[in-house]
Amino acid sequence: DYKLYSFENSLSICFNYKDFDPEDLCTKLYESNSLMVGFGNFQNKKFVRLVVVNCENSYDNLMQFFTILEEFAKQNKDLLKKI
């Protein structure tokens, strides 16, 4: 369900989830107080950009992020724009 755009050893994970518009997904996650995550553009492609430079992040923290994102998308799939 994910399309990865980042490269190995990057400080951020750049990806798209299913076919949801990354800007719309990030905005709606923020507006619902679910997650604060950004989006980016590179070579005419938009993607979710999760910066993971915090050394306090654990595996469980990252898994929780993706669990929240997936559950939010599942519950709001009819409200999210597609790309």
Side-chain angles (χ1 to χ4, degrees):
D1 291 333
Y2 290 90
K3 181 172 183 175
L4 190 62
Y5 289 97
S6 52
F7 50 90
E8 192 173 325
N9 297 324
S10 176
L11 295 176
S12 61
I13 303 169
C14 300
F15 64 91
N16 283 340
Y17 181 63
K18 298 196 175 189
D19 290 328
F20 296 118
D21 177 83
E23 183 176 356
D24 188 52
L25 177 60
C26 292
T27 299
K28 288 185 171 130
L29 282 163
Y30 176 75
E31 289 174 346
S32 70
N33 293 318
S34 297
L35 291 171
M36 183 184 288
V37 64
F39 63 92
N41 291 299
F42 184 70
Q43 297 181 345
N44 294 324
K45 296 195 188 309
K46 279 197 286 188
F47 46 80
V48 176
R49 184 171 181 262
L50 173 62
V51 179
V52 292
V53 71
N54 183 349
C55 66
E56 296 292 318
N57 283 334
S58 67
Y59 174 83
D60 289 338
N61 294 139
L62 293 174
M63 292 308 296
Q64 182 180 20
F65 169 87
F66 287 104
T67 299
I68 292 169
L69 181 140
E70 290 173 9
E71 188 60 34
F72 179 86
K74 181 179 173 184
Q75 292 175 356
N76 296 281
K77 65 183 175 198
D78 295 333
L79 303 174
L80 293 168
K81 294 178 188 174
K82 297 278 193 165
I83 53 175

